[in-house]
Amino acid sequence: MSKQRIILTAVLILSAVLLPQAAFAPPPPPPPPPPVTTTISTTSTTAGVGATTTTGAGTTTTAGAGATTTTLPYILLSFPLTADLAKSPVYSVGFRVYENGKEIGPASAEAKNLALYFRFPMPRITDVRFGERLYQKGLVAKGEKFVVSATPKLSAKVESDYAISAAGVSITAQGSDSGALKNTMNISEVNQTSVNAVAGEVRGFSFAYDVPAERRLAEGDNIMTISAADSLGAVTTETFAVTVMGGPLQVIGPVLVYPAPFSITKHGQCEIQYVLSRDADLELYIIAGTAQTIKKFSLFAGQNGGAAGYNKVIWDGVTDFGIRAGNAVYVGSIVSRYDGKLLAQFKFSVVD
């Protein structure tokens, strides 16, 4: 063994409860507060010719001819856990071994330096919405397409246990077709809608970002991601599968009214639900059996009722004349305001 090398062994004493998922991982700088270090010596003997070893209650080694004895330094690292660290849900421990300033791998036993790192709780990305609709991964995982505009308004909440800023957040979009270009979009403080600060340090914020026309999503299926990096360099990335419908404006599938039948006194309101292929200005009419329009909704492109994807229009049963609708079967019509095209018709009953 070269005298230029020193074998260092790190013994880490931490609770198994706090470290359930120890793993080798690239280190986020900087490491936690320095540990208290204690150096302990131990002696190992390499047996030579004629050596004997007895194993029983203990181990006895008798050195033979040519035996060598080496005293190895052991370093015991004791890390103080602050209250904040103790509350953290997950830790991982990574070892990186360096010799002469060059990393020689996490598993090597021979090194001049041994570095111990922690991976702290990662940034969190929640409440992701396209327009006013909350993205639901569970439904998409079951095969339901999440239809969005080619230029959607994307909003989300970003939180961290450490300092974080809008400059550390980026959005990417890429069509699922082979060779599709990836759009990368960066947000800034201008996009922040609210900020959560602790002791003057930003620990979280909400943002809203309108995808510009020059970054519009490709028709068909797209993969969008939001990445957030905190001040320690830890990065969280969330992925979203969305679909941009091509072709003419249309209502996809049936229009549903819930509850059905609708009782104004019992239910208070009903929901008119439908999926739109793209953003559009619409008129929604509720028509009585006499062909008289008793209620008209004006709906705007990109907002609830006129947004690509799922829409939900609420009606309390009160007509435009200020009275409750009577018991009857009503016809609903959804019409494009741009060209007057009828997109869908549906029927429902009011029964009190």
Side-chain angles (χ1 to χ4, degrees):
M1 179 182 296
S2 170
K3 294 182 180 180
Q4 300 301 318
R5 294 186 175 184
I6 302 175
I7 299 178
L8 299 180
T9 303
V11 181
L12 177 66
I13 303 178
L14 287 175
S15 166
V17 175
L18 291 176
L19 297 172
Q21 300 181 20
F24 289 106
V36 176
T37 305
T38 304
T39 303
I40 307 169
S41 294
T42 185
T43 300
S44 65
T45 300
T46 302
V49 179
T52 60
T53 300
T54 303
T55 302
T59 300
T60 302
T61 300
T62 302
T68 60
T69 300
T70 304
T71 299
L72 304 175
Y74 279 69
I75 297 178
L76 176 65
L77 304 178
S78 301
F79 285 86
L81 286 180
T82 64
D84 287 343
L85 293 181
K87 292 177 182 177
S88 299
V90 177
Y91 294 92
S92 62
V93 180
F95 292 91
R96 286 294 180 268
V97 183
Y98 298 84
E99 184 171 23
N100 296 326
K102 182 179 179 181
E103 183 176 341
I104 60 175
S108 174
E110 295 181 283
K112 265 190 173 181
N113 301 299
L114 182 86
L116 173 66
Y117 299 93
F118 284 81
R119 174 173 291 168
F120 294 99
M122 306 292 281
R124 299 171 294 281
I125 302 170
T126 59
D127 196 29
V128 176
R129 295 176 182 270
F130 289 81
E132 299 180 19
R133 293 180 297 138
L134 179 69
Y135 186 86
Q136 296 178 297
K137 284 192 172 183
L139 295 179
V140 175
K142 293 179 180 178
E144 183 173 320
K145 289 187 178 296
F146 194 90
V147 178
V148 301
S149 164
T151 53
K153 180 177 183 177
L154 180 61
S155 61
K157 180 184 292 184
V158 179
E159 298 174 293
S160 175
D161 288 10
Y162 306 95
I164 196 165
S165 69
V169 177
S170 63
I171 301 168
T172 63
Q174 186 172 25
S176 60
D177 292 340
S178 176
L181 297 177
K182 178 182 289 187
N183 283 325
T184 300
M185 297 157 274
N186 296 308
I187 74 165
S188 67
E189 292 183 359
V190 174
N191 303 109
Q192 292 178 338
T193 56
S194 65
V195 175
N196 175 35
V198 177
E201 184 177 77
V202 175
R203 298 288 183 87
F205 56 87
S206 296
F207 73 87
Y209 179 83
D210 291 292
V211 174
E214 62 271 19
R215 299 287 187 178
R216 64 187 299 113
L217 307 186
E219 287 188 6
D221 296 332
N222 288 262
I223 298 297
M224 297 194 72
T225 62
I226 302 176
S227 296
D230 64 19
S231 59
L232 296 184
V235 180
T236 294
T237 299
E238 293 285 352
T239 303
F240 310 93
V242 298
T243 300
V244 176
M245 301 294 294
L249 173 64
Q250 60 179 311
V251 171
I252 304 168
V255 179
L256 303 177
V257 179
Y258 178 83
F262 170 40
S263 169
I264 299 173
T265 56
K266 179 181 178 181
H267 302 127
Q269 63 183 29
C270 68
E271 299 176 356
I272 303 168
Q273 307 169 3
Y274 54 93
V275 176
L276 200 60
S277 64
R278 58 181 171 85
D279 291 351
D281 293 322
L282 304 176
E283 307 285 2
L284 191 158
Y285 300 95
I286 297 177
I287 304 168
T290 59
Q292 181 184 32
T293 297
I294 64 167
K295 183 68 180 179
K296 174 185 174 182
F297 294 91
S298 293
L299 308 167
F300 299 94
Q303 300 181 15
N304 182 44
Y310 175 79
N311 291 271
K312 180 171 63 177
V313 177
I314 305 297
W315 184 42
D316 61 5
V318 177
T319 70
D320 286 339
F321 308 108
I323 60 175
R324 288 184 177 182
N327 291 350
V329 175
Y330 294 88
V331 174
S333 296
I334 300 176
V335 177
S336 167
R337 191 181 309 148
Y338 171 72
D339 56 10
K341 179 183 178 181
L342 177 65
L343 301 176
Q345 278 193 323
F346 56 97
K347 291 183 179 181
F348 67 100
S349 300
V350 173
V351 178
D352 264 329

